[in-house]
């Protein structure tokens, strides 16, 4: 199957595109976009990949589902479009960056600037029905994004993986901590952020690791 995705990712994931699960997934997603409101906009489904080529990835942040409110999701986990109110988890991410790196909270929640520097912001599920959280789970996306994480973990070295919450940690279980930096904390949601996300120091730890391995740090 010919999938429109950034060329280096296309090469890394080509085997997935011809598997039965991905063909079924594609049929399901196409039908959903035809018959109901789905986020993100179809041309941004692979935005995380298109914005951050396989060989340029420095940091991986794993999310679960796209935001399901109007105008929020644009294909990068935790990120929202310009002008959209910050969701609670994103507020806590910015609070931790402010605490960790003494950087002021930005005016926009659009994290495209991170992607441009090599941060892959990957949701486990890449699409969702409007106002129906989890509606596209267990349709095949998780298998596809597992393959993406596996490809990075096995073919690259010295990537920082930020695994926030039990779901992300389970998804990142394939990562070899001898080859990569694996940072774990509770999820930044208001339900758990103050039980260890605030104070985790992941953003400074990531930059220190990148510098140690000859990479430019991220301007968070």
């Amino acid at each position: 199957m010919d999938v429109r995705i950034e060329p280096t990712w296309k090469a890394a994931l080509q085997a997935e595109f011809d598997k039965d699960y991905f063909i079924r997934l594609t049929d399901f997603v196409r039908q959903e976009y035809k018959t109901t409101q789905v986020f993100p906009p179809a041309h941004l489904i692979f935005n995380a990949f298109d914005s951050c080529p396989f060989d340029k990835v420095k940091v991986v942040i794993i999310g679960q589902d796209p935001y399901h409110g109007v105008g929020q999701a644009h294909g990068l986990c935790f990120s929202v479009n310009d002008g959209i109110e910050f969701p609670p988890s994103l507020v806590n991410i910015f609070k931790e960056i402010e605490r960790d790196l003494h950087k002021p909270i930005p005016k926009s929640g659009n994290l495209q600037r991170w992607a441009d520097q090599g941060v892959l912001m990957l949701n486990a599920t890449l699409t969702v029905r409007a106002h129906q959280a989890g509606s596209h789970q267990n349709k095949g996306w998780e298998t596809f994004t597992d393959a993406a994480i596996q490809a990075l973990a096995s073919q690259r070295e010295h990537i920082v993986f930020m695994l926030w919450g039990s779901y992300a940690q389970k998804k990142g279980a394939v990562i070899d901590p001898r080859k990569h930096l694996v940072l774990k904390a509770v999820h930044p949601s208001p339900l758990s952020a103050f039980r260890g996300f605030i104070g985790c120091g992941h953003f400074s730890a990531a930059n220190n690791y990148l510098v140690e391995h000859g990479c430019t740090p991220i301007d968070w």
Side-chain angles (χ1 to χ4, degrees), residues 17-32:
F17 301 140
D18 296 321
K19 291 181 179 177
D20 288 344
Y21 87 86
F22 193 85
I23 294 167
R24 290 194 302 269
L25 170 64
T26 302
D27 290 343
F28 167 76
V29 170
R30 282 179 180 150
Q31 187 64 20
E32 286 284 282

Side-chain angles (χ1 to χ4, degrees), residues 1-219:
M1 178 181 293
D2 186 28
V3 176
R4 290 185 196 169
I5 193 170
E6 192 278 330
T8 60
W9 277 109
K10 190 168 190 174
L13 296 172
Q14 185 59 57
E16 301 302 306
F17 301 140
D18 296 321
K19 291 181 179 177
D20 288 344
Y21 87 86
F22 193 85
I23 294 167
R24 290 194 302 269
L25 170 64
T26 302
D27 290 343
F28 167 76
V29 170
R30 282 179 180 150
Q31 187 64 20
E32 286 284 282
Y33 274 94
K34 284 180 184 175
T35 58
T36 189
Q37 189 175 24
V38 179
F39 299 129
H43 70 284
L44 294 175
I45 290 174
F46 294 116
N47 191 26
F49 300 99
D50 294 337
S51 299
C52 191
F54 182 84
D55 55 343
K56 304 295 185 189
V57 175
K58 297 178 182 177
V59 179
V60 178
I61 300 174
I62 298 175
Q64 190 164 355
D65 236 22
Y67 295 124
H68 53 81
V70 174
Q72 291 180 304
H74 64 121
L76 308 177
C77 72
F78 294 107
S79 178
V80 289
N81 281 304
D82 293 326
I84 297 293
E85 182 180 356
F86 299 171
S89 292
L90 184 57
V91 170
N92 288 328
I93 290 169
F94 287 150
K95 282 181 179 177
E96 173 56 16
I97 292 171
E98 182 181 45
R99 187 209 64 80
D100 189 19
L101 300 174
H102 310 294
K103 288 178 66 80
I105 292 175
K107 290 184 169 58
S108 172
N110 189 329
L111 304 181
Q112 183 68 44
R113 62 188 182 276
W114 294 1
D116 294 342
Q117 298 176 78
V119 181
L120 179 70
M121 287 166 275
L122 183 63
N123 275 314
T125 304
L126 299 188
T127 55
V128 67
R129 277 190 184 186
H131 315 300
Q132 294 184 41
S135 49
H136 285 188
Q137 290 177 4
N138 302 314
K139 302 295 184 182
W141 279 131
E142 295 91 341
T143 303
F144 177 72
T145 52
D146 280 349
I149 293 165
Q150 176 67 57
L152 285 170
S154 62
Q155 297 176 39
R156 293 282 313 282
E157 289 186 340
H158 308 314
I159 293 174
V160 180
F161 289 87
M162 294 182 172
L163 307 180
W164 301 334
S166 58
Y167 184 89
Q169 288 163 23
K170 184 178 179 183
K171 198 167 180 70
V174 298
I175 302 159
D176 185 347
R178 295 167 298 183
K179 285 179 64 178
H180 305 282
L181 178 62
V182 179
L183 300 173
K184 297 180 181 180
V186 297
H187 195 275
S189 107
L191 299 174
S192 57
F194 291 93
R195 299 204 308 268
F197 182 80
I198 302 297
C200 68
H202 281 186
F203 301 96
S204 59
N207 278 353
N208 291 339
Y209 181 84
L210 291 173
V211 170
E212 284 170 16
H213 290 91
C215 295
T216 305
I218 305 299
D219 180 6

